């Protein structure tokens, strides 16, 4: 598969500067890097973004995540491999990614569970990761970015 065009974040160089600042901020929120990578991977799976799934698996491995757990992210509710905090982050990810599925996508119950595990900075980091991942999922599926793409 070949992309329809070069990634827009590479076409407009100032876009990448802002994106890099977002990632820097996310990683200052106190959330473990592996949790942020699980969030990225789950949103990308939901959105069917092969480029982001591929990149997410690679980033998660670099952060110390195991293939055993990564293969089970898609069915995280049916396994005990994830901590309560990771499960709360994954539930928030699914709700915030599937906004069109129901009127109140991010319910108080989902929010409260996440807030039980993460402080305001942590929640901010997770929400920014969800939003940024959805941003890239939409770009990459639109331009048909193939798995294994290089964004440098």
């Amino acid at each position: 598969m070949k992309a329809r065009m070069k990634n827009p974040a590479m076409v407009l160089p100032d876009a990448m500067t802002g994106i890099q600042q977002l990632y820097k901020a996310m990683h200052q929120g106190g959330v473990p890097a592996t949790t942020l990578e699980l969030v990225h991977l789950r949103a990308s799976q939901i959105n069917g973004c092969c480029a982001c799934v591929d990149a997410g698996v690679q980033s998660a491995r670099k952060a110390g995540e195991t293939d055993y757990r990564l293969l089970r992210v898609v069915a995280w509710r049916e396994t005990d491999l994830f901590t309560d905090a990771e499960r709360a982050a994954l539930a928030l990810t699914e709700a915030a990614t599937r906004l069109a599925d129901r009127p109140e996508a991010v319910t108080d119950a989902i929010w409260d569970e996440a807030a039980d595990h993460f402080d305001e900075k942590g929640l901010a980091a997770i929400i920014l990761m969800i939003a940024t991942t959805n941003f890239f999922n939409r770009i990459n599926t639109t331009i048909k970015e193939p798995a294994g793409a290089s964004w440098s």
Side-chain angles (χ1 to χ4, degrees):
M1 188 163 105
K2 184 178 178 196
R4 290 175 168 154
M5 66 175 281
K6 189 174 179 179
N7 193 294
M10 298 295 124
V11 173
L12 304 172
D14 287 344
M16 195 47 114
T17 302
I19 292 163
Q20 288 169 340
Q21 290 296 88
L22 275 174
Y23 279 109
K24 181 179 174 183
M26 281 179 236
H27 288 282
Q28 294 172 346
V31 176
T34 51
T35 302
L36 291 175
E37 295 301 339
L38 294 174
V39 164
H40 170 80
L41 179 58
R42 187 64 192 123
S44 297
Q45 289 171 335
I46 291 166
N47 290 321
C49 181
C50 67
C52 289
V53 167
D54 183 67
V57 167
Q58 291 179 46
S59 294
R61 284 179 180 151
K62 286 180 187 173
E65 195 52 79
T66 66
D67 286 341
Y68 189 75
R69 281 175 30 108
L70 290 172
L71 288 169
R72 285 149 182 86
V73 169
V74 71
W76 63 270
R77 284 184 177 85
E78 287 80 38
T79 180
D80 62 358
L81 292 175
F82 302 99
T83 67
D84 289 343
E86 290 168 336
R87 296 170 79 73
L90 290 166
L92 182 60
T93 301
E94 288 187 358
T97 299
R98 293 181 165 154
L99 294 175
D101 290 354
R102 56 197 166 281
E104 185 188 5
V106 182
T107 65
D108 288 341
I110 291 169
W111 179 261
D112 292 345
E113 182 66 22
D116 284 346
H117 296 282
F118 302 99
D119 63 12
E120 189 171 42
K121 281 179 132 180
L123 288 168
I126 291 168
I127 292 165
L128 286 173
M129 178 58 87
I130 295 166
T132 305
T133 299
N134 278 281
F135 168 77
F136 271 111
N137 291 166
R138 280 147 180 78
I139 290 171
N140 291 331
T141 57
T142 300
I143 66 167
K144 294 189 174 186
E145 188 78 75
S150 172
W151 293 294
S152 55

